[in-house]
Amino acid sequence: MRHDHLLSAGQLTREDIEAVLDRAADLADDPGAVGERHADRLLALCFFEPSTRTKMSFDTAMKRIGGDTVDMGSVESSSVKKGESLADTVRVIEGYADGIVLRHPSEGAAKLASQFVDVPVINAGDGAGQHPSQTLLDLYTMRERAGLDDLTVGIMGDLKYGRTVHSLASALTNFDARMHFISPESLRLPRGVRFDLHDAGARLREHTDLDEVLEELDVLYVTRIQRERFPDENEYQQVAGEYQIDADTLERARDDLTVMHPLPRVDEIAPDVDATDHAAYFAQAHNGVPVRMALLDGLLGEDAATDGGDAR
Ligand code: NCD
């Protein structure tokens, strides 16, 4: 990739995406193919919000390409607790590591951090903003299961606060995809995201009822209601438990429908879906390792610092 930071899916061209996915497929077949290139490299994991998959798969991926990681630990145990600014924190950490993976509750945090350091910054989720490395593994999974062209994708759940949704929709505009967004009225895509999608030529429709489109879908991407982003718990309670699917719901779907979810799920997908051929969400999570290996290999590669590419 010619970028030196990965901040949002909007910076990725179709060529960038395909290069990462192709490399990921190669590394899934032959994890040793990277050799010793990253043997002396360290990746800093800076998670200011909870994470299981993203953090552990970046950790695993870095180790699998021969490097190692240093972990900031929890906010509770770091100097952030003493009032240190994000800018100062990342300026210190760039002295320890060759790249920074950052998850933060504020939208724009990764972009801000990237302005203070010279090492690559990967946005691993900035509030309700973006989560572009998740998008790469989502696209990898979609490509494996359904192909990325002539694709009809339903994206359902919390479209307002779901950063995985914002990144995925943006990246899908590079492909021949029809997008159906299914949510309660109060959790529709934010206007700015909708505007950018239209601007990028997206073919999209919005629905409040899954039944309107279920039969057409190749992929149904289900998301969790992002409880932690609601300003008011009562507002969350009004939408909690909406938009759940189970094996019965999927009786009306195409046999080859792929059901995805970035996880963690709460109650959006009933456990009886897990045993069906539709379920791809655990494989999707596992794909995080080869995809992040490919991403790190590209961003930390010999040429990353010298080829003049700049996405800042
Ligand atoms: C997602 C996230 O953090 O945005 N999780 C993940 O990285 N797989 C989705 C979520 O928390 O609902």
Side-chain angles (χ1 to χ4, degrees):
M1 243 185 334
R2 61 195 162 72
H3 310 291
D4 51 8
H5 301 295
L6 180 58
L7 304 177
S8 99
Q11 77 187 69
L12 298 172
T13 64
R14 183 178 175 132
E15 289 69 34
D16 290 333
I17 293 166
E18 286 177 340
V20 174
L21 304 198
D22 289 346
R23 181 80 173 133
D26 289 345
L27 292 175
D29 286 343
D30 179 11
V34 178
E36 292 300 306
R37 275 173 76 200
H38 304 290
D40 55 351
R41 297 233 162 98
L42 280 174
L43 182 69
L45 304 174
C46 305
F47 282 71
F48 292 74
E49 272 192 346
S51 173
T52 305
R53 272 150 293 275
T54 304
K55 184 165 158 179
M56 288 188 72
S57 65
F58 266 115
D59 196 357
T60 307
M62 188 62 185
K63 289 170 178 163
R64 290 244 189 271
I65 62 168
D68 209 342
T69 56
V70 277
D71 186 347
M72 186 188 84
S74 71
V75 169
E76 289 302 305
S77 66
S78 75
S79 277
V80 174
K81 208 55 196 163
K82 301 181 189 168
E84 185 170 55
S85 71
L86 177 62
D88 281 3
T89 303
V90 294
R91 266 189 287 202
V92 169
I93 291 172
E94 88 165 319
Y96 307 151
D98 303 287
I100 296 176
V101 180
L102 179 70
R103 170 169 291 187
H104 197 278
S106 306
E107 220 169 304
K111 183 161 189 217
L112 179 107
S114 75
Q115 285 156 2
F116 288 91
V117 298
D118 289 326
V119 298
V121 173
I122 298 174
N123 181 5
D126 60 329
Q130 287 273 315
H131 191 353
S133 69
Q134 175 71 40
T135 293
L136 289 168
L137 74 93
D138 293 342
L139 294 174
Y140 182 90
T141 309
M142 277 183 203
R143 189 171 80 162
E144 264 193 333
R145 298 271 305 209
L148 283 175
D149 280 307
D150 191 22
L151 191 68
T152 304
V153 184
I155 304 182
M156 183 169 88
D158 188 343
L159 311 181
K160 180 177 181 183
Y161 296 116
R163 55 197 176 198
T164 65
V165 172
H166 304 157
S167 286
L168 178 61
S170 158
L172 281 171
T173 62
N174 288 296
F175 299 91
D176 178 18
R178 287 168 294 281
M179 294 183 243
H180 292 280
F181 293 98
I182 307 133
S183 73
E185 190 64 38
S186 62
L187 295 180
R188 282 176 66 189
L189 282 177
R191 280 173 60 144
V193 174
R194 233 175 16 237
F195 179 84
D196 289 345
L197 291 175
H198 281 300
D199 208 36
R203 285 181 290 157
L204 70 89
R205 282 172 52 204
E206 295 179 279
H207 312 265
T208 50
D209 189 353
L210 175 62
D211 276 339
E212 288 172 24
V213 287
L214 179 59
E215 289 170 18
E216 292 172 42
L217 302 179
D218 299 305
V219 174
L220 176 59
Y221 188 95
V222 184
T223 63
R224 176 178 70 89
I225 311 281
Q226 307 281 300
R227 181 178 199 158
E228 66 276 28
R229 311 239 181 266
F230 279 68
D232 172 359
E233 175 68 16
N234 287 332
E235 274 182 48
Y236 168 74
Q237 291 303 340
Q238 280 169 21
V239 286
E242 288 200 50
Y243 299 88
Q244 296 173 346
I245 60 164
D246 59 19
D248 275 350
T249 319
L250 298 179
E251 288 292 318
R252 298 186 293 281
R254 296 206 344 223
D255 286 346
D256 61 355
L257 170 75
T258 295
V259 175
M260 296 175 57
H261 191 303
L263 302 180
R265 71 174 148 179
V266 181
D267 53 9
E268 311 79 52
I269 302 179
D272 65 1
V273 177
D274 299 0
T276 70
D277 290 339
H278 300 295
Y281 28 93
F282 291 112
Q284 179 186 353
H286 296 158
N287 289 335
V289 172
V291 169
R292 290 182 168 122
M293 287 169 72
L295 176 65
L296 291 171
D297 187 37
L299 286 175
L300 302 176
E302 296 302 340
D303 50 354
T306 52
D307 71 356
D310 194 341
R312 275 173 286 181

